[in-house]
Amino acid sequence: SSALQAGFHSVGIDTIDVSVMPSGGIAFLTSDTRSAMGVVVSASHNPAADNGIKLLGRDGAKLSDDEEDRIDQRVRRGAPWKVATDDGIGTVLRMAEADDRYLAHLRESMPYTLRGISIVLDCANGAAFRTAPELFRRLKADVEVFAAEPDGTNINAGCGATHPRYLSERAAGRIGFAFDGDADRLIAVDEDGAVANGDVIMAIIARHMKEAGKLKNNIVVSTVMANLGFRRAMERLEIDVIETQVGDRYVLEAMREHKAVLGGEQSGHVILADRASTGDGLLTAVRLLEVMASSGKEFRELRKETITEYPQVLRNLHVADKHKLDEADLLWAAVRDAEARLKDDGRILVRASGTESLIRVMVEAASGTEAAAIADELIEISRNQLGSVVKP
């Protein structure tokens, strides 16, 4: 973070340092302060070694692929750079009230108090370690907090949204919210300890918004990874689903194109465009609690009424060259054969990871046993045709 700020200062740009904060908070403050850009330094949902940079536009939303490509190309071209001197050098401004401004924004979005509700939080030893507990305490909930002692290296280590079992084992009949490292994702746990991913959360919110007449254009945007149960739930509710490739930026682009106010991913990214410009796990949790308070129903009851998920099995294979996937004719023939066997009672998705040299195989079927068998079969064919590598 300091190195990035020094770079901005060297070309005459001032920076506002908000210290450690969820990326949803930085998105909000970028827009609220009318800054030219927001920057988040985080490993997001990955281990600390994957620390990276997330760039946000002046509206707080992620930059488009084209905008990121232009920045990448400019960096790679190298000098000459603009260099500031004397009074033209940028400076750092400290925003001591950053947390309070963000929390006030979240608090204002909730028309109810949570008095009498017990909540368990898993902050992933990440950016939500201060703001998430404080938010729900301000809403008068009874709060117990886990994984809220970040040391710079323990982010997402066996906890957080990518390890929901950690929270499920500690919830003890209470509602649980697990965030990822930069807190733009939310995975929840219901009163029975059952994990609820982004599909479940979106389905509940979509139903509530439609019944309240607030689901603009009767559209929800999701990705190709959305569970078949989510699609069936939206069909029953007569809500149209727009499907995108994996990635919350693509969800947001489709939401803007179709003027939708709700979209998200199974991974827990949920975008509530009537209240934010990007995914915000804390805001998603508040919205889910708002549905509960408004309906007077428990989380598990809302879930049961809204969505029945299909068993889903995901397998990953590390390969030397993921770009050869399109040419894997034996694999694609096996996929077609398996799809014919499943008919309308399942779904198969094979794709290359966007960030790693991985092939991902996802299978949904009426039974978990059948889904696992098909996934293992396709992984073995992938290994034989594409080869595999052992990750260090």
Side-chain angles (χ1 to χ4, degrees), residues 251-282:
V251 171
L252 181 58
E253 287 174 4
M255 289 175 67
R256 287 173 169 172
E257 179 182 352
H258 296 278
K259 295 180 172 57
V261 291
L262 177 63
E265 300 185 277
Q266 186 183 83
S267 61
H269 280 122
V270 177
I271 301 175
L272 302 160
D274 57 338
R275 302 187 185 182
S277 59
T278 189
D280 184 335
L282 279 67

Side-chain angles (χ1 to χ4, degrees), residues 199 202 220-224 226 230-231 241-244 251 263-264:
D199 289 341
M202 264 209 306
V220 171
V221 178
S222 68
T223 75
V224 293
F230 174 79
R231 291 172 171 78
V241 177
I242 305 296
E243 190 176 274
T244 75
V251 171

Side-chain angles (χ1 to χ4, degrees), residues 12-314:
I13 297 173
D14 296 335
T15 60
I16 301 173
D17 192 332
V18 299
S19 187
V20 180
M21 170 175 278
S23 60
I26 295 175
F28 164 71
L29 289 171
T30 299
S31 174
D32 199 49
T33 59
R34 299 183 179 180
S35 296
M37 176 179 282
V39 183
V40 182
V41 179
S42 178
S44 187
H45 56 283
N46 294 331
D50 290 345
N51 233 12
I53 302 166
K54 182 186 296 185
L55 303 178
L56 308 174
R58 64 176 63 247
D59 61 351
K62 286 183 180 178
L63 301 183
S64 69
D65 282 352
D66 288 344
E67 289 171 316
E68 286 199 347
D69 285 345
R70 285 198 295 272
I71 292 171
D72 179 72
Q73 291 166 11
R74 179 64 190 93
V75 171
R76 292 178 187 277
R77 281 202 306 272
W81 306 109
K82 171 187 174 184
V83 178
T85 59
D86 302 323
D87 292 342
I89 296 173
T91 188
V92 60
L93 309 171
R94 308 288 178 182
M95 185 184 285
E97 75 281 11
D99 281 2
D100 281 337
R101 286 177 67 165
Y102 174 48
L103 289 169
H105 158 67
L106 294 174
R107 178 66 185 85
E108 288 168 4
S109 72
M110 179 57 156
Y112 306 97
T113 66
L114 303 177
R115 198 180 303 277
I117 295 179
S118 294
I119 297 173
V120 188
L121 301 178
D122 174 356
C123 297
N125 290 316
F129 81 105
R130 283 195 309 259
T131 50
E134 179 62 20
L135 169 65
F136 296 107
R137 288 176 183 137
R138 291 187 184 187
L139 288 168
K140 308 304 181 184
D142 178 34
V143 182
E144 185 174 9
V145 184
F146 295 96
E149 298 181 358
D151 62 12
T153 63
N154 61 353
I155 187 172
N156 303 309
C159 57
T162 53
H163 301 278
R165 185 175 176 182
Y166 175 86
L167 184 62
S168 178
E169 291 173 346
R170 292 160 174 79
R174 297 167 291 181
I175 301 165
F177 296 129
F179 307 100
D180 68 334
D182 68 334
D184 61 353
R185 298 186 183 200
L186 173 73
I187 299 295
V189 173
D190 70 18
E191 296 88 348
D192 293 326
V195 174
N197 60 26
D199 289 341
V200 174
I201 295 168
M202 264 209 306
I204 291 171
I205 294 174
R207 176 190 173 194
H208 175 75
M209 293 182 72
K210 175 159 185 174
E211 291 174 349
K214 296 180 179 180
L215 189 65
K216 189 175 180 181
N217 294 326
N218 199 44
I219 289 173
V220 171
V221 178
S222 68
T223 75
V224 293
M225 287 297 292
N227 191 275
L228 185 55
F230 174 79
R231 291 172 171 78
R232 296 279 167 84
M234 295 301 99
E235 288 173 6
R236 288 194 301 273
L237 292 167
E238 298 182 334
I239 295 173
D240 296 327
V241 177
I242 305 296
E243 190 176 274
T244 75
Q245 62 179 301
V246 175
D248 57 314
R249 77 176 62 205
Y250 305 115
V251 171
L252 181 58
E253 287 174 4
M255 289 175 67
R256 287 173 169 172
E257 179 182 352
H258 296 278
K259 295 180 172 57
V261 291
L262 177 63
E265 300 185 277
Q266 186 183 83
S267 61
H269 280 122
V270 177
I271 301 175
L272 302 160
D274 57 338
R275 302 187 185 182
S277 59
T278 189
D280 184 335
L282 279 67
L283 179 62
T284 303
V286 168
R287 194 64 169 267
L288 183 59
L289 289 165
E290 180 185 335
V291 176
M292 291 175 55
S294 174
S295 66
K297 296 179 179 179
E298 292 185 321
F299 185 11
R300 59 188 164 193
E301 186 180 359
L302 290 168
R303 177 183 195 160
K304 185 176 180 180
E305 291 176 351
T306 306
I307 181 172
T308 300
E309 296 173 275
Y310 276 60
Q312 186 180 83
V313 174
L314 179 64

